[in-house]
Amino acid sequence: MDKSTFSNWDTEADVVVVGSGVAGLAAAVEAKNAGASVVVLEKRSSCGGNSIMSDGGVALAGTDFQKQYGILDSWELMYEDMLRAGLNMNDASLAKIVAQQSNSVLEWLTEYLAVKFRHKPIIFGGHSVPRIHLLHNFSGTAIVKPLLSKVKELGIEIKTNICLTKFGKDVREIEVYDKKENQARAVYANTGVVLATGGFGGDVAFRILHDARLTSTVGNTNRLDTTAEGMLEAIKIGASSVHLEYIQLSPWSSPDEKRDKIATEFFYTVFPYGIVVNPLTGKRFFNELADRKIRADSILDVGQPSIGIADLEGMNISGHNMDRYLSMNIVKRFEDLEELAAAYSLPYQALKETIDRYNKYVENKKDESWQKPIPLDAKPLHAPYYAMRLWPKVHYTMGGVTINAKAQVIDNNGQPIKGLYAAGEVTGGIHGASRLGGSSLTECLVFGRIAGKNAALQKFTSIS
């Protein structure tokens, strides 16, 4: 093929993957297994992308783990939950693929990559049943590290400190910037490019264009360099985009966290086994297991941080330890309710009535106020209590380039851009207006694998 755009050629492979998060690494592995030579380009000095920031929950439906605990689930139910959370704005065909292939993702992770999970699935907000499968260390590294080991085993080259700067006239021609050598280079893909550059949660300037509330004063749970440049370069060559205005905020974040760390263990307890109260009234004001958009918007509407309250019993049931967050003064322990109310300037009598009412709901396993699905193992709240201030931060961007079922990037005329594929958070449409918790890693694995296979196998036809 004629390499007509650039002259400073440095690297050539059948498949070039841009980004080394879970989507990119899964694509690289599958492309290699399909017989292609592969190179992965990563703009950071280390691999893993934003995936390593994950808390390690993966949404999977109809699994053996669920059956062991008598949890009845199916891909159809997960699909319905995805559409409901997405306000039925999802690309239904893509959402269905994620749900349908979620069980096979578990098989691939455990059997091919030897990824280890905790056995008991839990429930996240917006899901109908417990289907969140927890990685053994509560971190996306439990998937990233086995993927990197497999990449090394297969002989796939990863080039770090390499930033995508532009596509050529032929999308298989890519110009990159080598940060170590401080110079531009060109990379050529014989059959296809997989764009897996992630979302734009850390790109303040770009996200303000789509949601004026999300200035630099709003925190971010992503890596700060989770930015839009990869997606924008695809858009410049004609890729269509969708849902850029839908930016998900995390309802579990705290303004007391430093450097945007997330008190993960607390939200695993407070939402299923505790309550969140309005700081002005001391009363609950939403279903703590509603989807993320409902919870985050409800907290923002109050206009100041809300208070999440759990107890020691809930901590023991969920299996999470608060010592780390207590020492950081993010989570606080209180020996009685009066002490808790005073610490957060909550009206004590209203708070007491709220907890008394909630405890009756727990005993009856029916929330008559907000229809929260009370876990079967939940127990009434009592001292000692644990509490944390909650204020949303930018967490996930639902929008991105448009893809089809083959993970091909679609142009503004509705046609596939030959040779260009995409997977992960850089894509849009799958989750509609709001993503269900735990479904990001699922999506990255499902469409990363699809993109890698098709980039390797589909014969390239030059773009006219």
Side-chain angles (χ1 to χ4, degrees):
M1 290 290 182
D2 178 36
K3 303 172 186 176
S4 60
T5 308
F6 309 116
S7 59
N8 52 339
W9 296 103
D10 175 74
T11 301
E12 181 175 334
D14 293 333
V15 174
V16 175
V17 179
V18 187
S20 71
V22 164
L25 294 176
V29 168
E30 292 291 40
K32 182 69 174 182
N33 285 334
S37 60
V38 182
V39 64
V40 178
L41 309 179
E42 169 57 51
K43 73 176 182 180
R44 300 179 175 97
S45 59
S46 60
C47 297
N50 209 45
S51 299
I52 61 175
M53 301 290 286
S54 167
D55 59 27
V58 190
L60 308 166
T63 69
D64 288 340
F65 286 145
Q66 288 176 304
K67 293 172 185 175
Q68 288 175 21
Y69 289 91
I71 300 167
L72 299 178
D73 196 12
S74 64
W75 73 260
E76 292 92 345
L77 185 57
M78 178 173 168
Y79 170 64
E80 291 172 4
D81 288 346
M82 291 177 70
L83 295 186
R84 183 172 57 255
L87 303 182
N88 289 303
M89 300 185 71
N90 321 56
D91 183 317
S93 64
L94 301 183
K96 182 178 289 186
I97 290 171
V98 172
Q100 284 179 325
Q101 296 192 21
S102 66
N103 199 340
S104 64
V105 160
L106 179 62
E107 180 180 340
W108 192 70
L109 289 173
T110 55
E111 296 186 10
Y112 182 62
L113 294 176
V115 171
K116 298 185 184 302
F117 285 86
R118 298 192 173 210
H119 280 207
K120 186 179 181 180
I122 66 170
I123 190 168
F124 270 7
H127 291 272
S128 297
V129 298
R131 68 166 65 95
I132 303 303
H133 294 63
L134 298 174
L135 295 163
H136 73 94
N137 64 348
F138 296 108
S139 170
T141 59
I143 295 179
V144 171
K145 287 183 178 179
L147 275 169
L148 287 172
S149 294
K150 184 61 68 173
V151 163
K152 183 177 180 180
E153 175 188 321
L154 294 174
I156 298 171
E157 182 181 13
I158 298 180
K159 290 179 173 287
T160 58
N161 290 297
I162 302 293
C163 304
L164 169 67
T165 54
K166 69 174 69 172
F167 288 96
K169 297 176 183 177
D170 182 328
V171 298
R172 295 173 299 170
E173 301 175 345
I174 306 171
E175 184 178 72
V176 299
Y177 179 74
D178 187 329
K179 293 193 289 185
K180 287 188 291 188
E181 299 297 330
N182 194 32
Q183 63 179 328
R185 299 182 183 278
V187 179
Y188 187 74
N190 292 314
T191 60
V193 174
V194 177
L195 191 66
T197 51
F200 54 88
D203 197 325
V204 176
F206 188 72
R207 74 193 194 199
I208 287 175
L209 293 175
H210 304 285
D211 189 333
R213 301 175 302 171
L214 305 182
T215 66
S216 58
T217 62
V218 179
N220 168 36
T221 67
N222 299 268
R223 285 185 164 189
L224 295 179
D225 57 353
T226 303
T227 45
E229 68 269 15
M231 177 183 66
L232 291 175
E233 290 307 314
I235 291 172
K236 286 178 183 178
I237 62 167
S240 66
S241 62
V242 63
H243 293 166
L244 297 180
E245 69 275 26
Y246 294 126
I247 299 173
Q248 185 174 81
L249 305 178
S250 62
W252 58 81
S253 304
S254 172
D256 302 316
E257 295 167 323
K258 306 301 180 185
R259 297 183 302 278
D260 299 308
K261 298 294 183 183
I262 304 173
T264 303
E265 280 81 0
F266 191 72
F267 86 78
Y268 275 117
T269 303
V270 72
F271 291 126
Y273 299 110
I275 61 173
V276 178
V277 300
N278 184 319
L280 303 176
T281 66
K283 298 179 180 180
R284 296 171 66 213
F285 59 107
F286 61 80
N287 168 2
E288 290 87 354
L289 285 175
D291 70 64
R292 292 172 171 180
K293 179 174 175 55
I294 290 173
R295 287 178 287 166
D297 286 349
S298 297
I299 294 171
L300 283 177
D301 287 344
V302 171
Q304 59 181 280
S306 301
I307 311 301
I309 302 170
D311 66 358
L312 183 59
E313 192 73 52
M315 302 295 178
N316 292 335
I317 295 171
S318 67
H320 293 278
N321 186 288
M322 289 298 103
D323 289 348
R324 175 186 175 195
Y325 303 109
L326 288 168
S327 67
M328 298 168 67
N329 209 32
I330 298 171
V331 176
K332 298 180 180 180
R333 174 179 166 129
F334 302 96
E335 298 306 320
D336 56 50
L337 197 59
E338 291 92 337
E339 184 185 2
L340 188 157
Y344 295 107
S345 299
L346 298 171
Y348 169 72
Q349 190 58 40
L351 178 62
K352 184 178 183 303
E353 291 173 1
T354 295
I355 288 184
D356 289 344
R357 184 178 299 110
Y358 179 74
N359 284 344
K360 290 180 181 179
Y361 297 160
V362 172
E363 291 172 351
N364 297 328
K365 295 294 182 282
K366 183 178 180 180
D367 179 0
E368 296 179 4
S369 295
W370 295 99
Q371 291 72 54
K372 169 183 171 179
I374 305 295
L376 294 177
D377 55 357
K379 296 182 180 181
L381 295 170
H382 60 82
Y385 299 100
Y386 293 79
M388 181 175 86
R389 295 201 306 158
L390 301 172
W391 186 250
K393 295 180 182 179
V394 172
H395 181 60
Y396 187 89
T397 50
M398 272 74 67
V401 297
T402 309
I403 60 170
N404 62 16
K406 294 180 179 179
Q408 293 172 298
V409 176
I410 304 302
D411 67 18
N412 290 312
N413 296 315
Q415 299 300 311
I417 297 177
K418 301 296 185 179
L420 184 59
Y421 302 81
E425 197 175 348
V426 73
T427 67
I430 294 173
H431 303 291
S434 181
R435 176 178 68 82
L436 277 178
S439 61
S440 177
L441 288 174
T442 314
E443 172 210 344
C444 286
L445 289 160
V446 168
F447 275 101
R449 296 178 67 196
I450 290 172
K453 289 176 183 177
N454 287 325
L457 297 176
Q458 187 164 319
K459 185 176 179 180
F460 184 84
T461 302
S462 296
I463 299 174
S464 58

